[in-house]
RNA sequence: CGGGGCGUAGCGCAGUAGGCUAGCGCGCUGCGUUUGGGACGCAGAGGUCGCCGGUUCGAGUCCGGCCGCCCCGACCA
């Protein structure tokens, strides 16, 4: 019988769970405290890069699982392309090189000798994959070609933050090639919707789909779409992107096919990605002053069991009951961890696991054993409301309902918070005021100059034109609140990570 | 790269008119008592005081240089 599906913590952690800054007092510090004290990540000896610790990596693995299932379900296959990219590849697409040049890490030496051609450590893989696609695609029958890869990438960042921006990070990058513009655009939007579905149904984070303005667009894309999430300090976090690349990379890398009429045509390509930044999104969208709050479907540990006993006799009684209780839960796939650490009081364990964000705590003591019950405590709520005594009968159903409830409640809380912090504005003064403590939604022309003006005046950036809202709000006759010219639609502005 | 802050035990810190064996809390190890919201006692372990150089009889403390980290900005997923 499996005692636990999660690696047991045999030792108490070196970090004390106290001493985390409050969110109000210092949000940046709160974030750093949580990430480190909940054992998600640690600093590394190399500036700007991080060590993802087992608990953080399990969270990432669950994110990977949720995304990978969805990619497979939409017909994509995984592959792996090399870390090193010839410098000349990067240079083939003019906008691409222009955008990425400042953040490239370049290998100039190998085997003790200077290389004839420097190798770029991939900042993204459009170029190597484009090169491969040009060899693989011959006929319209080869299309669409739907590939994803899980990989690390490197971007030389000036300023880094754990998970949110590190010089090396993990992500998935999808790359697809299509016969027509329509097909490629459809793919771009489909994968954006996959990200939305993942964010809402796995991470319990409400996200807004946007089309990016020109200045926020991916280097080399025709259009960039994103999902934007609101963090606990009301800043925005771009949590996933999907790019329609048109024929830009097809032309740079000769990605061509022969159509039904035996004509040679350039493909239309897309790319889309979600990174370990999603971990940061989860921390900041849900966390509170007691620590992490992990969405149940991604949490490495969904249920932590804290046995309570006074002496050896009770210990045996309780532990036997605990194993009996957990076995069926584990069998149906719940991620259960039994905290059997000796010498720690239950109270310490309660706080410890709350800090680590475990959605459900199950307390089992002599009284519960006698009553054929357990005490369930949910992390998404506080005080008495969070606790309920539950019968051991039907426990699988009780716990799985509770996990679903918690997911729904966390999504509802995050949605209410976000909706309560968006302000519709119709003048530039109102926009400037709004972005000091919320998101602003305003008619916007989408010009880089206006984005830059807003950035300079307020530190807030253009987050994009929300797709859903602009279906109903016609920009006809509406003016950009910044420059007064014809608006393209409503756009969000806010401080962002 | 500019502005601010900080480097003393795993973590948080104290210690500087230059002085003797470098300290406190938490954590860690052992034993015992404890255990339904962060237990307690006793006994222990743990340090090139970020690095290099200088001043001095003597430097964690003073001087010079360097390195690193965090926060705020300019760039970005």
């Amino acid at each position: 019988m499996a005692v636990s599906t999660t690696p047991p913590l045999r030792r108490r952690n070196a970090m004390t769970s106290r001493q985390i800054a409050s969110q109000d007092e210092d949000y940046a510090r709160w974030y750093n405290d949580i990430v480190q004290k909940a054992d998600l990540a640690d600093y590394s000896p190399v500036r700007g890069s991080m060590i993802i610790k087992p608990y953080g990596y399990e969270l990432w693995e669950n994110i990977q699982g949720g995304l990978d299932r969805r990619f497979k379900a939409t017909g994509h296959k995984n592959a792996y392309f090399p870390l090193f990219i010839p410098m000349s590849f990067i240079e083939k697409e003019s906008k691409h090189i222009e955008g990425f040049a400042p953040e490239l890490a370049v290998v100039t030496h190998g085997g003790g000798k200077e290389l004839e051609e420097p190798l770029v450590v991939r900042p993204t893989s459009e170029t190597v994959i484009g090169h491969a696609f040009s060899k693989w695609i011959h006929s319209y029958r080869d299309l669409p070609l739907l590939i994803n890869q899980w990989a690390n990438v490197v971007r030389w960042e000036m300023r880094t933050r754990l998970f949110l921006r590190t010089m090396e990070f993990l992500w998935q990058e999808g790359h697809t090639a299509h016969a027509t513009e329509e097909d490629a655009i459809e793919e771009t939007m489909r994968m954006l919707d996959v990200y939305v579905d993942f964010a809402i149904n796995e991470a319990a984070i409400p996200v807004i789909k946007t089309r990016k303005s020109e200045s926020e667009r991916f280097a080399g894309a025709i259009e960039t779409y994103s999902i934007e999430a609101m963090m606990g300090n009301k800043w925005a976090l771009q949590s996933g992107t999907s790019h329609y690349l048109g024929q830009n990379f097809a032309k740079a890398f000769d990605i061509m096919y022969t159509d039904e009429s035996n004509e040679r045509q350039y493909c239309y390509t897309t790319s889309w990605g979600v990174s370990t930044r999603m971990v940061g999104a989860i921390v900041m969208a849900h966390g509170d002053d007691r620590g992490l709050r992990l969405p149940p479907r991604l949490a490495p540990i969904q249920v932590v069991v804290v046995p309570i006993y006074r002496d050896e006799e009770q210990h045996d009684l309780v532990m036997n009951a605990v194993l009996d209780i957990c076995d069926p839960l584990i069998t149906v796939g719940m991620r259960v961890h039994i905290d059997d650490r000796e010498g720690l009081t239950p109270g310490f364990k309660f706080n410890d696991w709350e800090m680590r964000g475990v959605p459900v705590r199950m307390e089992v003591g002599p009284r519960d054993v006698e009553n054929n019950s357990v005490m369930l405590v949910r992390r998404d709520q506080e005080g008495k409301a969070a606790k309920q005594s539950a019968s051991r009968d039907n426990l699988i159903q009780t716990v799985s309902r509770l996990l679903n409830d918690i997911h729904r409640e966390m999504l509802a809380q995050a949605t209410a918070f976000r909706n309560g912090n968006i302000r519709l504005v119709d003048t530039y003064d109102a926009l400037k005021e709004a972005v000091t403590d919320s998101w602003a939604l305003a008619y916007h022309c989408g010009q880089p100059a206006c984005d830059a003006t807003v950035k300079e005046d307020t530190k807030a950036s253009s987050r994009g034109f929300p797709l859903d809202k602009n279906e109903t709000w016609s920009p006809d006759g509406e003016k950009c609140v910044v420059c007064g010219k014809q608006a393209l639609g409503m756009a969000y502005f806010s401080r962002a990570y």
Side-chain angles (χ1 to χ4, degrees):
Chain A
M1 181 174 85
V3 171
S4 171
T5 55
T6 55
L9 296 175
R10 293 259 173 253
R11 305 244 153 267
R12 54 187 106 168
N13 196 277
M15 299 275 192
T16 165
S17 55
R18 283 178 242 200
Q19 303 169 318
I20 53 178
S22 81
Q23 298 191 60
D24 286 346
E25 171 192 327
D26 187 340
Y27 197 81
R29 176 144 181 231
W30 169 85
Y31 177 79
N32 281 328
D33 287 350
I34 295 298
V35 167
Q36 289 174 86
K37 289 177 179 163
D39 279 326
L40 297 179
D42 200 355
Y43 289 104
S44 86
V46 178
R47 180 192 82 84
S49 49
M50 68 188 282
I51 296 162
I52 302 176
K53 297 180 75 173
Y55 193 57
Y57 200 79
E58 280 185 270
L59 178 55
W60 173 239
E61 286 176 317
N62 292 336
I63 292 168
Q64 285 183 299
L67 288 171
D68 205 63
R69 270 199 305 283
R70 287 168 171 78
F71 300 157
K72 302 274 170 60
T74 44
H76 302 83
K77 300 282 191 198
N78 284 332
Y80 185 79
F81 297 83
L83 173 68
F84 296 123
I85 300 178
M87 180 60 102
S88 58
F89 278 29
I90 301 282
E91 291 166 344
K92 281 192 181 177
E93 212 288 331
S94 61
K95 284 284 191 298
H96 195 62
I97 177 64
E98 198 180 301
F100 277 106
E103 38 186 336
L104 294 180
V106 182
V107 178
T108 57
H109 288 71
K113 286 186 297 191
E114 183 163 357
L115 302 177
E116 296 216 350
E117 179 182 356
L119 295 171
V120 169
V121 181
R122 66 177 161 223
T124 179
S125 303
E126 275 75 7
T127 58
V128 256
I129 293 181
H131 177 258
F133 277 15
S134 75
K135 295 199 296 182
W136 297 350
I137 296 167
H138 306 101
S139 153
Y140 69 93
R141 296 178 204 276
D142 297 325
L143 299 174
L145 181 55
L146 308 175
I147 297 293
N148 177 65
Q149 85 161 339
W150 291 96
N152 58 339
V153 287
V154 168
R155 297 180 186 179
W156 212 262
E157 300 289 351
M158 302 182 189
R159 166 115 191 256
T160 58
R161 295 177 206 258
L162 296 170
F163 287 112
L164 302 173
R165 175 163 299 102
T166 45
M167 297 220 303
E168 177 186 2
F169 58 94
L170 306 182
W171 76 346
Q172 60 65 218
E173 46 179 324
H175 294 271
T176 69
H178 306 262
T180 67
E181 178 174 23
E182 295 70 42
D183 287 354
I185 291 174
E186 190 185 330
E187 167 78 2
T188 306
M189 304 316 292
R190 177 184 304 118
M191 300 321 287
L192 188 65
D193 284 334
V194 161
Y195 289 157
V196 172
D197 182 61
F198 171 83
I200 290 174
N201 293 313
E202 304 277 345
I205 298 176
V207 291
I208 291 171
K209 290 193 282 184
T210 78
R211 183 173 64 80
K212 289 296 195 179
S213 63
E214 188 182 329
S215 61
E216 296 283 327
R217 207 173 283 156
F218 175 73
I222 305 287
E223 292 288 2
T224 287
Y225 300 89
S226 76
I227 52 171
E228 299 284 326
M230 185 182 283
M231 303 295 99
N233 63 348
K234 301 168 195 170
W235 286 29
L237 183 70
Q238 178 174 304
S239 310
T241 51
S242 187
H243 313 292
Y244 170 60
L245 304 173
Q247 295 183 318
N248 290 351
F249 287 88
K251 285 180 175 166
F253 288 90
D254 279 318
I255 310 172
M256 301 187 78
Y257 70 99
T258 306
D259 69 14
E260 293 91 325
S261 331
N262 203 34
E263 303 272 343
R264 294 276 284 161
Q265 305 282 1
Y266 283 111
C267 289
Y268 295 82
T269 66
T270 82
S271 66
W272 27 273
V274 159
S275 72
T276 37
R277 172 180 263 196
M278 183 61 82
V279 173
I282 289 167
V283 173
M284 289 195 290
H286 298 307
D288 64 19
D289 281 349
R290 290 189 292 158
L292 273 181
R293 294 197 311 166
L294 294 177
R297 292 169 197 166
L298 296 177
I301 298 172
Q302 295 172 307
V303 179
V304 65
V305 182
V306 179
I308 294 153
Y309 47 82
R310 282 172 195 283
D311 50 35
E312 198 63 25
E313 189 185 340
Q314 285 190 353
H315 172 270
D316 294 348
L317 174 78
V318 166
M319 284 310 296
N320 283 332
V322 163
L323 295 178
D324 281 350
I325 291 164
C326 291
D327 190 44
L329 300 181
I330 291 164
T331 302
V332 300
M334 286 182 192
R335 297 188 287 273
V336 179
H337 174 66
I338 300 166
D339 186 353
D340 58 358
R341 289 177 291 180
E342 307 268 342
L344 291 175
T345 62
F348 180 92
K349 293 179 180 179
F350 297 167
N351 287 285
D352 197 39
W353 292 110
E354 276 169 7
M355 194 265 300
R356 291 179 156 74
V358 176
V360 173
R361 177 175 79 240
M362 183 188 296
E363 304 171 17
V364 180
R367 292 207 296 271
D368 300 296
V369 175
E370 189 167 334
N371 299 331
N372 196 46
S373 66
V374 296
M375 185 63 72
L376 298 175
V377 186
R378 52 194 291 181
R379 177 63 177 84
D380 62 317
Q381 297 185 354
E382 294 187 41
K384 279 239 166 72
K387 295 191 182 185
Q388 66 176 91
S389 179
S391 167
R392 277 172 62 176
D393 302 329
N394 299 320
L395 197 60
I396 291 174
Q397 195 179 43
T398 306
V399 173
S400 85
R401 273 191 190 155
L402 184 57
L403 289 170
N404 281 330
D405 273 1
I406 293 170
H407 175 90
R408 253 196 313 278
E409 177 59 24
M410 287 176 70
L411 180 62
Q413 283 179 18
T415 304
F417 179 79
R418 183 199 64 193
N419 292 347
N421 288 293
I422 294 176
R423 288 165 59 188
L424 192 60
V425 297
D426 55 10
T427 66
Y428 189 43
D429 282 342
L431 184 150
K432 283 194 278 196
E433 205 282 319
V435 296
T436 59
D437 193 34
S438 60
W439 288 11
L441 185 58
Y443 278 110
H444 180 42
C445 65
Q447 294 306 303
C450 285
D451 284 356
T453 301
V454 173
K455 190 72 183 276
E456 198 168 316
D457 291 351
T458 69
K459 295 177 188 167
S461 57
S462 156
R463 305 318 305 154
F465 297 92
L467 300 183
D468 301 339
K469 295 243 164 74
N470 280 306
E471 286 168 8
T472 52
W473 297 343
S474 167
D476 290 347
E478 300 290 351
K479 306 298 182 205
C480 172
V481 296
V482 184
C483 67
K485 292 185 193 140
Q486 173 64 45
L488 288 179
M490 285 271 184
Y492 285 106
F493 291 87
S494 87
R495 294 291 296 265
Y497 282 102

